[in-house]
Amino acid sequence: ARSRTVGELLAPTAPFDKKCGRENWTVAFAPDGSYLAWSQGHRVVKLVPWAQCLNNFLLHGTKNGPSAAGTRPPRHGAEGGQRSKPCEHVIDCGDIVWGLAFGSSVPEKQSRCVNIEWHRFKFGQDQLLLATGLNNGRIKIWDAYTGKLLLNLMDHTEVVRDLTFAPDGSLILVSASRDKTLRVWDLKDDGNMMKVLRGHPNWVYGCAFSPDSSILCSVGASKAVFLWDMDKYSMLRKLEGHHNDVVACEFSPDGALLATASYDTRVYLWDPDIGVILREFGHLFPPPTPIFAGGANDRWVRSVCFSHDGLHVASLADDRMVRFWRIDEEYPVQVAPLNNGLCCTFSTDGSVLAAGQDGSVYFWATPSHVSSLQHLCRMAIRRVMPTSQVKNLPIPCKVLEFLCYQI
């Protein structure tokens, strides 16, 4: 089935613009759904109010970008409870932008932490930050409401390829770099670098937190997938199975699954607790043997992300297709065309998929599916119980298999 197009935000072009430098390597939604940000190429990051984007798509069709401000809930620290409207910003980061991430002092709903200490950021309460990873190894932290530069972090020696904030509201930022390291930053402590995670033998392409912020997954060249204990800052395990560079990763909303995308033309769904591959989504048929999967094959998978219902995964590959998969089916349930796509992510409410291409962003409606009561129960249980504990429950084998996503 063809996925329904929602809209597109097209980057302005000029006669002197060349394709080189215009790549859109990253697109991100704010945790509260107030903003959409993406790299337009040539050092520029664009922030737009997401609610206004949707209104413009509905009123004027699918083309062009917004210029007015949308609305969002009031800030907790705002005087007199006045409502704060997000404004559109164009940020010049000073170098090519590779990574983007929003961070908030308000814990995300997906977190399974119950008693979370509310941290207060020195630059203001209920802070919404935008982190940008640059080609020169620097990380710049911006106030998303004003577009002002707050911090400049400068410890990496190579390209900062990806960034991710802990979902628990602690404002802990992790950066992945081509210098083969991951670095952990405490933004509530003026951007103090807390730890350097070493172990990758080559470039680190991406990183992602588990919903409870206790585990970090990092992926990179040399087929590497690492899981890190973020309480002890130590390596938990290395996942082996891919046959080429692994370039993207994301946990499911309940933390029970991990999706990884690789140049070997495959997306794997892992059980991160025991390190087992549960399902393979192939983008080349028949699947290439390891020796061919290790080279150029016109089917490199560039990005992968989980929907918020926990039932769907989206992937983007070099064959000019965006695919929506159900976790319990072998073939895509919907597809959409996209040339030169490099990144994709779901909106905060999970209703829209955004994908970046040559400075522009395209949007598709997420496949609609009413989750079964069985699946909702599984999601609730897996938020608090890892596979090792589930397997010890005194319940029938079929129920155990379902709770362990052995589908």
Short mmCIF file of all heavy atoms in Angstrom, two decimals, residues 311-335:
data_model
loop_
_atom_site.label_atom_id
_atom_site.label_comp_id
_atom_site.label_asym_id
_atom_site.label_seq_id
_atom_site.Cartn_x
_atom_site.Cartn_y
_atom_site.Cartn_z
N LEU A 311 4.17 -0.99 17.51
CA LEU A 311 3.83 -2.02 16.53
C LEU A 311 4.49 -1.80 15.18
O LEU A 311 4.58 -2.72 14.38
CB LEU A 311 2.30 -2.05 16.32
CG LEU A 311 1.48 -2.83 17.34
CD1 LEU A 311 0.00 -2.66 17.06
CD2 LEU A 311 1.85 -4.31 17.31
N HIS A 312 4.97 -0.59 14.92
CA HIS A 312 5.50 -0.26 13.60
C HIS A 312 6.93 0.26 13.68
O HIS A 312 7.32 0.93 14.64
CB HIS A 312 4.62 0.77 12.90
CG HIS A 312 3.25 0.29 12.57
ND1 HIS A 312 2.19 0.46 13.42
CD2 HIS A 312 2.77 -0.38 11.49
CE1 HIS A 312 1.10 -0.07 12.87
NE2 HIS A 312 1.43 -0.59 11.71
N VAL A 313 7.69 -0.05 12.63
CA VAL A 313 9.04 0.45 12.44
C VAL A 313 9.10 1.07 11.05
O VAL A 313 8.55 0.52 10.10
CB VAL A 313 10.08 -0.69 12.56
CG1 VAL A 313 11.47 -0.18 12.21
CG2 VAL A 313 10.07 -1.27 13.97
N ALA A 314 9.75 2.22 10.95
CA ALA A 314 9.96 2.86 9.65
C ALA A 314 11.45 2.78 9.30
O ALA A 314 12.31 2.92 10.17
CB ALA A 314 9.52 4.31 9.67
N SER A 315 11.73 2.53 8.02
CA SER A 315 13.11 2.48 7.56
C SER A 315 13.25 3.25 6.26
O SER A 315 12.28 3.40 5.50
CB SER A 315 13.57 1.03 7.37
OG SER A 315 12.85 0.40 6.32
N LEU A 316 14.46 3.71 6.01
CA LEU A 316 14.75 4.52 4.83
C LEU A 316 16.03 3.98 4.20
O LEU A 316 17.04 3.83 4.88
CB LEU A 316 14.91 5.97 5.26
CG LEU A 316 14.94 7.08 4.22
CD1 LEU A 316 14.50 8.38 4.87
CD2 LEU A 316 16.34 7.24 3.68
N ALA A 317 15.97 3.64 2.90
CA ALA A 317 17.10 2.99 2.25
C ALA A 317 17.48 3.70 0.95
O ALA A 317 16.75 4.56 0.45
CB ALA A 317 16.79 1.51 1.98
N ASP A 318 18.64 3.30 0.41
CA ASP A 318 19.16 3.91 -0.81
C ASP A 318 18.39 3.53 -2.07
O ASP A 318 18.70 4.02 -3.15
CB ASP A 318 20.63 3.53 -1.00
CG ASP A 318 21.55 4.38 -0.13
OD1 ASP A 318 21.07 5.34 0.47
OD2 ASP A 318 22.75 4.06 -0.05
N ASP A 319 17.42 2.63 -1.95
CA ASP A 319 16.63 2.25 -3.12
C ASP A 319 15.47 3.21 -3.36
O ASP A 319 14.52 2.89 -4.07
CB ASP A 319 16.11 0.82 -2.97
CG ASP A 319 15.21 0.65 -1.75
OD1 ASP A 319 15.03 1.63 -1.00
OD2 ASP A 319 14.71 -0.46 -1.56
N ARG A 320 15.53 4.40 -2.73
CA ARG A 320 14.54 5.48 -2.94
C ARG A 320 13.17 5.12 -2.40
O ARG A 320 12.15 5.55 -2.95
CB ARG A 320 14.45 5.86 -4.42
CG ARG A 320 15.77 6.27 -5.04
CD ARG A 320 15.61 6.55 -6.51
NE ARG A 320 16.90 6.92 -7.11
CZ ARG A 320 17.07 7.19 -8.40
NH1 ARG A 320 16.04 7.12 -9.22
NH2 ARG A 320 18.26 7.53 -8.86
N MET A 321 13.15 4.38 -1.30
CA MET A 321 11.88 4.00 -0.70
C MET A 321 11.90 4.21 0.81
O MET A 321 12.91 3.97 1.47
CB MET A 321 11.56 2.54 -0.98
CG MET A 321 11.38 2.19 -2.44
SD MET A 321 9.92 2.96 -3.17
CE MET A 321 8.63 2.08 -2.32
N VAL A 322 10.77 4.68 1.33
CA VAL A 322 10.49 4.67 2.76
C VAL A 322 9.54 3.51 3.02
O VAL A 322 8.55 3.34 2.30
CB VAL A 322 9.85 5.99 3.22
CG1 VAL A 322 9.49 5.94 4.69
CG2 VAL A 322 10.79 7.16 2.94
N ARG A 323 9.85 2.71 4.03
CA ARG A 323 9.03 1.53 4.31
C ARG A 323 8.49 1.59 5.74
O ARG A 323 9.21 1.98 6.66
CB ARG A 323 9.84 0.25 4.14
CG ARG A 323 10.24 -0.07 2.70
CD ARG A 323 11.17 -1.26 2.66
NE ARG A 323 11.46 -1.73 1.31
CZ ARG A 323 12.41 -1.22 0.53
NH1 ARG A 323 13.16 -0.22 0.98
NH2 ARG A 323 12.61 -1.69 -0.69
N PHE A 324 7.24 1.18 5.90
CA PHE A 324 6.62 0.99 7.21
C PHE A 324 6.42 -0.51 7.41
O PHE A 324 5.79 -1.17 6.60
CB PHE A 324 5.28 1.71 7.30
CG PHE A 324 5.36 3.20 7.21
CD1 PHE A 324 5.27 3.85 5.99
CD2 PHE A 324 5.53 3.97 8.36
CE1 PHE A 324 5.34 5.22 5.90
CE2 PHE A 324 5.61 5.35 8.28
CZ PHE A 324 5.52 5.98 7.06
N TRP A 325 6.97 -1.03 8.51
CA TRP A 325 6.87 -2.45 8.82
C TRP A 325 6.07 -2.64 10.10
O TRP A 325 6.14 -1.83 11.03
CB TRP A 325 8.25 -3.05 9.05
CG TRP A 325 9.30 -2.73 8.05
CD1 TRP A 325 10.01 -1.57 7.93
CD2 TRP A 325 9.79 -3.60 7.01
NE1 TRP A 325 10.90 -1.66 6.90
CE2 TRP A 325 10.80 -2.89 6.31
CE3 TRP A 325 9.49 -4.91 6.61
CZ2 TRP A 325 11.50 -3.43 5.24
CZ3 TRP A 325 10.18 -5.45 5.54
CH2 TRP A 325 11.18 -4.72 4.87
N ARG A 326 5.30 -3.73 10.16
CA ARG A 326 4.76 -4.20 11.44
C ARG A 326 5.75 -5.17 12.04
O ARG A 326 6.35 -5.98 11.32
CB ARG A 326 3.41 -4.89 11.23
CG ARG A 326 2.22 -3.94 11.30
CD ARG A 326 0.93 -4.73 11.20
NE ARG A 326 0.80 -5.72 12.26
CZ ARG A 326 -0.07 -5.64 13.26
NH1 ARG A 326 -0.88 -4.60 13.33
NH2 ARG A 326 -0.14 -6.57 14.18
N ILE A 327 5.90 -5.13 13.35
CA ILE A 327 6.91 -5.97 13.98
C ILE A 327 6.58 -7.45 13.89
O ILE A 327 7.46 -8.29 14.12
CB ILE A 327 7.11 -5.57 15.47
CG1 ILE A 327 5.81 -5.77 16.25
CG2 ILE A 327 7.61 -4.14 15.58
CD1 ILE A 327 5.97 -5.58 17.75
N ASP A 328 5.34 -7.79 13.54
CA ASP A 328 4.95 -9.19 13.46
C ASP A 328 4.73 -9.66 12.03
O ASP A 328 4.16 -10.72 11.80
CB ASP A 328 3.70 -9.45 14.30
CG ASP A 328 2.54 -8.53 13.92
OD1 ASP A 328 2.74 -7.63 13.07
OD2 ASP A 328 1.44 -8.69 14.48
N GLU A 329 5.16 -8.85 11.03
CA GLU A 329 5.00 -9.25 9.63
C GLU A 329 6.32 -9.12 8.90
O GLU A 329 7.15 -8.27 9.20
CB GLU A 329 3.92 -8.39 8.95
CG GLU A 329 2.53 -8.61 9.52
CD GLU A 329 1.47 -7.84 8.75
OE1 GLU A 329 1.79 -7.36 7.64
OE2 GLU A 329 0.34 -7.72 9.26
N GLU A 330 6.50 -9.97 7.89
CA GLU A 330 7.78 -10.06 7.19
C GLU A 330 7.97 -8.99 6.13
O GLU A 330 9.09 -8.59 5.84
CB GLU A 330 7.90 -11.45 6.54
CG GLU A 330 9.24 -11.72 5.87
CD GLU A 330 9.31 -13.13 5.30
OE1 GLU A 330 8.32 -13.89 5.47
OE2 GLU A 330 10.34 -13.46 4.68
N TYR A 331 6.86 -8.49 5.57
CA TYR A 331 6.94 -7.54 4.46
C TYR A 331 6.35 -6.19 4.89
O TYR A 331 5.53 -6.12 5.80
CB TYR A 331 6.21 -8.08 3.24
CG TYR A 331 6.78 -9.38 2.73
CD1 TYR A 331 6.15 -10.60 2.99
CD2 TYR A 331 7.99 -9.40 2.03
CE1 TYR A 331 6.68 -11.79 2.54
CE2 TYR A 331 8.52 -10.58 1.57
CZ TYR A 331 7.88 -11.78 1.84
OH TYR A 331 8.42 -12.96 1.40
N PRO A 332 6.75 -5.09 4.22
CA PRO A 332 6.23 -3.77 4.58
C PRO A 332 4.72 -3.68 4.43
O PRO A 332 4.15 -4.27 3.52
CB PRO A 332 6.94 -2.82 3.61
CG PRO A 332 8.12 -3.58 3.09
CD PRO A 332 7.73 -5.03 3.12
N VAL A 333 4.09 -2.92 5.30
CA VAL A 333 2.65 -2.72 5.21
C VAL A 333 2.33 -1.49 4.37
O VAL A 333 1.25 -1.39 3.79
CB VAL A 333 2.01 -2.59 6.60
CG1 VAL A 333 2.11 -3.91 7.35
CG2 VAL A 333 2.67 -1.47 7.41
N GLN A 334 3.28 -0.54 4.30
CA GLN A 334 3.13 0.64 3.44
C GLN A 334 4.50 1.07 2.95
O GLN A 334 5.52 0.84 3.63
CB GLN A 334 2.46 1.80 4.19
CG GLN A 334 0.97 1.61 4.45
CD GLN A 334 0.33 2.83 5.07
OE1 GLN A 334 0.91 3.91 5.08
NE2 GLN A 334 -0.87 2.66 5.61
N VAL A 335 4.53 1.74 1.80
CA VAL A 335 5.78 2.27 1.26
C VAL A 335 5.51 3.65 0.69
O VAL A 335 4.36 4.04 0.44
CB VAL A 335 6.35 1.35 0.14
CG1 VAL A 335 6.71 -0.01 0.69
CG2 VAL A 335 5.37 1.25 -1.02
#
